[in-house]
Amino acid sequence: MKLPGHDAIARRADEHLVAQRVQLPRAVVERPIRQVVKRLLMALLVLVATAFVVYADHDGYHDNSDGSVDLLDAFYYATVTLSTTGYGDITPVSDGARLTNIFVITPLRVLFLIILVGTTLEVLTERTREEWRLNRWRSTLRDHTVVIGYGTKGRSAIQTVCATGLKAEQVVVVDPSSKAVDAATAEGYAGVIGDATRSDVLRRAEVHKARQIIIAPQRDDTAVLVTLTARQLNRSAKIVAAVREEENAPLLKQSGADAVVTSSGAAGRLLGLSVLSPAAGMVMEDLIQQGSGLDIMERPVVRAEVGKGPRETDDLVVSVVRGHRVLGYDDPSIGSLQLTDRLITIVRASPGAHVTPHHRPLPTD
């Protein structure tokens, strides 16, 4: 295992010490800065329109300084009038100017105030609503799935678990890239921006309440650090990690991972199998693509199957999970099926078929 030194790890932590926040999925709306700019342009338009209305009837106004009202005075009058400052140095003196103030400038003043006050209220309301959603999300989130890394491996893992019946609101993605988290929230998943090797980032993802954690970063050393941190925060969650190099798999298991998948080794074995038997390669690829063709799934033994052998069930049983052991279908030590056993079966994919999740109790405080 080739891990960087402590200095390199600290340097990477400093590089990733950016604003860490939780993003919840939401409908596509206009960006706040764009809304503010649009409202400011509307307010400016109202101001310009008011100034030209005043200048068009400038003879009906009196300026205490020089008696006449030019274009600059018209803009000044429009500004102090719309902002309700009203110094009184420029006043309407003719009947036409006063009627214009009553029926034109006063409605424009109200519109101007609505635009500015409405912008402030909308920003405050949106902020309050987002805080309320975030607090409610934290209080209700439990037994969820945390996915570290939203790259190719992370996305494929989410698609697989969601194809088995997991809801999108039960998935939380953690990634240091804001673009990756934006892509995750666009798919309906909650996202946390930050370095997953930091415990405070994982706490934002509510890792301590998660049922299962999928670790799929780009680097093996990152996977080790994330696994150590996640296992420290949650002793009972099922942790599955991906590594690139086969030699690093034992270190991941020592760090607390329940299962380790070697991505490069798995791809290489599938390539070799496809060379030896293209049909077998197609079947294996079909099996690992959940939701289409043939699916491999784990399910509990039903009462009607208790006392039978693995080959006597209606499904094609590949292995029997008994306690912490995984036994082949032809293992003589299986004997007859027990109610506490779980079966690894191959079934025809259907919309209603889903994998029964592995239940683990939450840690007690």
Side-chain angles (χ1 to χ4, degrees), residues 59-315:
D59 293 335
Y61 293 83
H62 176 74
D63 186 355
N64 292 337
S65 62
D66 57 8
S68 62
V69 175
D70 56 14
L71 184 59
L72 178 60
D73 293 331
F75 271 95
Y76 168 76
Y77 177 78
T79 302
V80 298
T81 300
L82 294 180
S83 62
T84 68
T85 305
Y87 294 114
D89 48 351
I90 299 177
T91 57
V93 293
S94 67
D95 292 340
R98 290 175 177 175
L99 288 174
T100 301
N101 267 263
I102 295 173
F103 295 107
V104 179
I105 295 181
T106 298
L108 288 175
R109 182 189 301 122
V110 174
L111 178 61
F112 185 83
L113 293 176
I114 289 176
I115 292 174
L116 295 184
V117 175
T119 301
T120 303
L121 290 178
E122 184 172 345
V123 171
L124 293 177
T125 302
E126 180 65 24
R127 183 178 300 174
T128 303
R129 186 186 301 116
E130 192 65 22
E131 286 292 332
W132 180 83
R133 288 185 65 212
L134 184 57
N135 291 332
R136 183 175 179 274
W137 173 78
R138 282 175 173 158
S139 62
T140 58
L141 190 65
R142 183 175 291 270
D143 293 344
H144 58 289
T145 298
V146 178
V147 179
I148 312 298
Y150 197 65
T152 303
K153 292 178 290 187
R155 287 195 300 268
S156 299
I158 293 176
Q159 291 172 1
T160 300
V161 296
C162 287
T164 63
L166 185 68
K167 296 181 180 179
E169 54 266 26
Q170 285 294 105
V171 176
V172 181
V173 173
V174 181
D175 198 284
S177 170
S178 59
K179 291 183 179 180
V181 173
D182 288 340
T185 54
E187 294 294 330
Y189 316 122
V192 177
I193 302 175
D195 184 358
T197 61
R198 300 174 60 87
S199 59
D200 56 332
V201 174
L202 293 183
R203 286 193 184 96
R204 291 176 183 269
E206 303 293 319
V207 163
H208 55 285
K209 296 190 296 184
R211 171 175 291 171
Q212 48 201 13
I213 304 170
I214 300 174
I215 300 175
Q218 298 297 324
R219 294 166 54 100
D220 287 2
D221 58 320
T222 302
V224 172
L225 294 175
V226 173
T227 303
L228 285 169
T229 308
R231 182 54 76 195
Q232 182 182 19
L233 295 175
N234 193 328
R235 296 292 182 181
S236 61
K238 183 177 183 179
I239 298 181
V240 178
V243 292
R244 292 177 177 271
E245 302 298 333
E246 190 88 39
E247 62 181 10
N248 298 331
L251 186 56
L252 262 294
K253 291 186 178 180
Q254 294 175 11
S255 301
D258 296 295
V260 179
V261 177
T262 307
S263 56
S264 57
R269 285 188 288 271
L270 185 58
L271 286 173
L273 180 61
S274 299
V275 169
L276 298 174
S277 174
M282 291 176 59
V283 172
M284 287 300 301
E285 189 174 359
D286 181 25
L287 287 174
I288 63 177
Q289 291 181 353
Q290 199 73 26
S292 62
L294 296 175
D295 281 351
I296 185 166
M297 58 176 288
E298 179 181 343
R299 66 169 179 84
V301 173
V302 299
R303 291 189 178 275
E305 296 171 335
V306 175
K308 295 182 178 180
R311 296 183 178 181
E312 299 178 68
T313 62
D314 294 334
D315 294 334

Side-chain angles (χ1 to χ4, degrees), residues 288-344:
I288 63 177
Q289 291 181 353
Q290 199 73 26
S292 62
L294 296 175
D295 281 351
I296 185 166
M297 58 176 288
E298 179 181 343
R299 66 169 179 84
V301 173
V302 299
R303 291 189 178 275
E305 296 171 335
V306 175
K308 295 182 178 180
R311 296 183 178 181
E312 299 178 68
T313 62
D314 294 334
D315 294 334
L316 179 59
V317 177
V318 179
S319 298
V320 176
V321 181
R322 178 168 294 171
H324 297 287
R325 297 184 301 163
V326 179
L327 307 174
Y329 70 94
D330 57 349
D331 193 319
S333 63
I334 294 177
S336 58
L337 296 177
Q338 303 173 9
L339 191 60
T340 56
D341 291 341
R342 298 182 68 86
L343 304 179
I344 308 296

